[in-house]
């Protein structure tokens, strides 16, 4: 529990004291490997039951903490990693999450049934990479990363104005290192498709505010390991 440094007892539900947060979490799954460790499969199912979940509440220019009485969520995660061919590996993970406010009365607003902010329903990660030895004493690594994130609400009211729509981001990296990986040189690129997405969002009386992600970015990296 704790105290808010700003007390605004109005229709937005401001309170001086916020209660402690508790959660009961249940998970069942399995981890497995096949084909002489060339293929790995992990699966997990989970359920979470929060009482008095602490949520950030924007009130004017201040941010306080409010308690959501009951919050329930369930989902699953699937992770695979497979060695397709000598040096060629592919990693894949898929996740689903349904996290909602079961009971959340905030002042004169009933937010029950809303999705918890910053919790996408679907997330998918796919990463193929290739490693091989070149010129006897050097290693080559080429890798691509694909990230898919489902729709995300930025606030407790699930405002569509500042919500983030589903998006796929693509990163890539190619590099050369010594066989012992003491020295390495790599060229990398992030957000190759130059997507513009809202990382965070706020609604104020004087207008909506968004913080967006960095644009397409390239870099050159040199590493030296002392030990």
């Amino acid at each position: 529990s704790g105290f808010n440094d700003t007390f605004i007892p109005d229709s937005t539900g401001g309170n001086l004291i916020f209660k402690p947060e508790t959660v009961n979490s249940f998970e069942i799954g399995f981890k497995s490997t096949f084909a002489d460790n060339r293929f790995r499969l992990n699966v997990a199912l989970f359920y979470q039951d929060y009482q008095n979940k602490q949520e950030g509440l924007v009130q004017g220019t201040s941010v306080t903490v409010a308690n959501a009485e009951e919050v329930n969520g369930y989902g699953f995660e699937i992770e695979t990693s497979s060695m397709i061919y000598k040096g060629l590996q592919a990693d894949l993970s898929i996740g689903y999450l349904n996290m909602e406010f079961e009971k959340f009365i905030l002042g004169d607003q009933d937010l029950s049934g809303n999705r918890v902010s910053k919790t996408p329903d679907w997330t998918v990660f796919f990463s193929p990479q290739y490693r091989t030895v070149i010129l006897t004493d050097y290693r080559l690594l080429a890798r691509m990363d694909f990230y898919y994130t489902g729709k995300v609400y930025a606030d407790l009211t699930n405002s569509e104005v500042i919500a983030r729509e589903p998006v796929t981001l693509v990163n890539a990296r190619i590099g050369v290192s010594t066989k012992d990986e003491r020295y390495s040189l790599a060229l990398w690129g992030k957000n190759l498709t130059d997507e513009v997405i809202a990382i965070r969002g706020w609604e104020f009386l004087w207008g909506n505010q968004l913080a967006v992600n960095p644009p397409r970015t390239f870099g050159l990296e040199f590493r030296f390991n002392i030990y």
Side-chain angles (χ1 to χ4, degrees), residues 40-53:
R40 185 180 75 247
L41 174 64
N42 301 331
V43 177
L45 305 174
F46 59 87
Y47 175 79
Q48 296 177 330
D49 180 18
Y50 284 88
Q51 301 295 317
N52 294 316
K53 189 175 188 301

Side-chain angles (χ1 to χ4, degrees), residues 142-145 170-174 187-192 217:
R143 176 189 179 103
M144 293 196 71
D145 297 326
V170 181
N171 302 332
R173 181 184 185 92
I174 184 169
L187 174 67
W188 54 263
K190 295 183 178 181
N191 190 14
L192 296 181
T217 307

Side-chain angles (χ1 to χ4, degrees), residues 58-75:
V58 178
Q59 297 181 308
T61 58
S62 301
V63 178
T64 58
V65 176
N67 290 111
E69 293 94 325
E70 297 179 20
V71 179
N72 295 329
Y74 61 87

Side-chain angles (χ1 to χ4, degrees), residues 165-195:
E165 296 300 322
V167 65
T168 300
L169 299 178
V170 181
N171 302 332
R173 181 184 185 92
I174 184 169
V176 177
S177 68
T178 54
K179 213 167 185 179
D180 59 4
E181 298 188 345
R182 188 171 186 182
Y183 301 91
S184 64
L185 181 66
L187 174 67
W188 54 263
K190 295 183 178 181
N191 190 14
L192 296 181
T193 54
D194 204 20
E195 300 286 344

Side-chain angles (χ1 to χ4, degrees), residues 115-133:
R115 287 187 62 87
V116 175
S117 59
K118 302 179 180 64
T119 57
D121 49 0
W122 289 96
T123 54
V124 179
F125 170 72
F126 176 64
S127 177
Q129 67 174 19
Y130 180 67
R131 292 176 181 267
T132 188
V133 176

